[in-house]
Amino acid sequence: MTSTTADLAAITGIDVPTGLFIGGEWTKGRSGGLIGVTDPATGEIIAEVADGTAEDALDAVGAAHAALPGWAATPPRERGECLRRAWALMMERSEAIARLMVLENGKALPDARGEATYSAEFFRWYAEEAVRLEGALMTAPSGANRILVQRQPVGVSVLITPWNFPAAMATRKIGPALAAGCTVVLKPAKETPLTALVVADILREAGVPDGVVNVVTTSSASRFSGAVLGDPRVRKLSFTGSTEVGRVLLKAAADQVINCSMELGGNAPFLIFEDADIKAALDGAFVAKMRNGGEACTAANRFYVHEAVADEFTSAFAARLAALKVGPGLEEGTELGPLVNEDTRSKVASLVDEAVAAGSKVVTGGAVPDRPGYFYEPTVLDHVPSGAGILHEEIFGPVAPIVRFTDEADAVRWANDTEYGLVSYVYTSDLRRSLRVAEALEAGMIGINRGVVSDPAAPFGGVKQSGLGREGGHDGLLEFTETKYIAVEW
Ligand code: NAP
């Protein structure tokens, strides 16, 4: 079933598959049921995809298991060349992929174009990494034998991805898994299944053998995970999503002692010191807050601004957000699209309402605009009290709460006052302070005078309850391997 709605093909210029992809075949799945995909800018259904059952999920595991020995034995260079071709195809179709992401996720086209290129880059990076899986050889301290260490593919890998980066979260997992010699079953978020299906079709076209990549879309994520995590053929779970669901999956993976990588939620602090270059801090704050409309795990969630520069920063930042063109993502000039669904918008609205009731001052925005779709006004809140929920929960929307500080130690303490530890941002022109503060911040990633940290070549991931393991860089490849130690006497 590679049929698609005519509208989608007309808007994107490509055929968008809507079936399950199992063992190299597009299928309707065992139930023949369908899930509607909604355009968040209008609230209307734009396509229907197959609703995979538990049996479909196990069929996909079976296909991945059957393809594993052949793919693991495929020369690394050939595995890399498949990924390299997939990168080229994604770049060739990047505008179509970007438009499709706007339709199913709502993000503005410039954000979607950025993601299309960024997501393709994971295939190019891991095409290059596929041939760099090193081992080690050493003499045992006793001198009696040699210690030989080899990296082998971990095996059939289940990949579960969120809706906020429909292409990049898939390629960031598929790239290293395939480079390491693993086969995969991907379950994309039900809000954004179409992009994942296009990525799978590109991998097929790039020459990835049948069964190496499988995709199961489903209306019941727990039915899917219940089936696959109970199957002993599955050896790896790589999950990106909320900390809440991550905890549930870690518990479920414990029964079969499945190797887990977890990319979970964030609550990024953004620190601006009195000696910062304020123009640079405004640019950095803008991208850290507004990339993807604030729906990013790396989004600046709390701004700690030194009292001496707080008025200047706050008024300039509010003016910049208030000037944004808000509208459907594909409309000419749109800079901020809708949120992905009503639940996400209501959460944003209630966090703002609660912060205002607690004494925060609305500098701009603060309301749901009167229009169809799941829009929320770009918002800046000043003087947010320390107990407000908005400082402790992931906002996932275009809202910037500002807290003023005078003392570096307070700023660092408040920044660390969270169970999350994904990323933190620091703006200062004092080199010693930047490194001192970076060392003290409890986060897996730090941006110093920079509002974006994501890079396919860098190890992305969090500490505390933001996750386990890393994606991207060489570390991302190692997550899909097991270490084998061979004791040799010669
Ligand atoms: P989510 O609700 O945790 O869902 C993520 C994925 O998990 C979706 O595919 C979802 O399927 C699935 N899922 C939900 N419950 C499940 C269950 N019981 N068993 C198996 N799968 C289950 O997160 P989201 O709302 O899509 O995404 C936003 C979250 O992702 C934020 O917390 C954000 O910080 C985090 N995130 C983290 C990173 C990172 O790299 N650290 C990157 C991006 C996003 P359904 O769609 O069917 O519910």
Side-chain angles (χ1 to χ4, degrees), residues 161 163 172 187 190 225 239-242 264 297 394 460:
T161 52
W163 46 260
R172 196 167 79 170
K187 192 210 84 62
K190 63 180 171 309
S225 56
F239 171 74
T240 298
S242 60
L264 308 177
C297 53
E394 210 173 11
F460 185 107

Side-chain angles (χ1 to χ4, degrees), residues 160-165 169 172 187-191 218 221-222 225 239-243 245 248-249 263-266 296-297 394 396 422 460 466:
I160 300 180
T161 52
W163 46 260
N164 63 338
F165 290 101
M169 296 303 96
R172 196 167 79 170
K187 192 210 84 62
K190 63 180 171 309
E191 280 88 354
T218 179
S222 54
S225 56
F239 171 74
T240 298
S242 60
T243 297
V245 172
V248 170
L249 292 177
E263 295 288 348
L264 308 177
C297 53
E394 210 173 11
F396 244 56
L422 190 59
F460 185 107
S466 283

Side-chain angles (χ1 to χ4, degrees), residues 345-369:
R345 180 173 61 179
S346 335
K347 181 183 171 194
V348 171
S350 59
L351 283 173
V352 171
D353 294 348
E354 187 222 8
V356 172
S360 311
K361 178 175 164 249
V362 178
V363 190
T364 188
V368 171

Side-chain angles (χ1 to χ4, degrees), residues 270 279-289 320 425 427 450-452:
F270 194 109
K279 192 180 164 311
L282 280 164
D283 290 344
F286 182 76
V287 65
K289 179 71 257 181
R320 192 142 171 194
Y425 304 92
Y427 272 74
R450 201 175 151 72
V452 179

Side-chain angles (χ1 to χ4, degrees), residues 147-214:
I147 293 170
L148 179 61
V149 180
Q150 189 185 10
R151 291 279 187 175
Q152 291 188 316
V154 60
V156 172
S157 301
V158 168
L159 317 176
I160 300 180
T161 52
W163 46 260
N164 63 338
F165 290 101
M169 296 303 96
T171 59
R172 196 167 79 170
K173 295 183 189 304
I174 297 171
L178 267 52
C182 297
T183 57
V184 306
V185 177
L186 169 68
K187 192 210 84 62
K190 63 180 171 309
E191 280 88 354
T192 57
L194 300 167
T195 308
L197 296 171
V198 166
V199 169
D201 208 35
I202 282 176
L203 286 158
R204 179 195 57 73
E205 201 177 326
V208 172
D210 294 351
V212 171
V213 172
N214 306 275

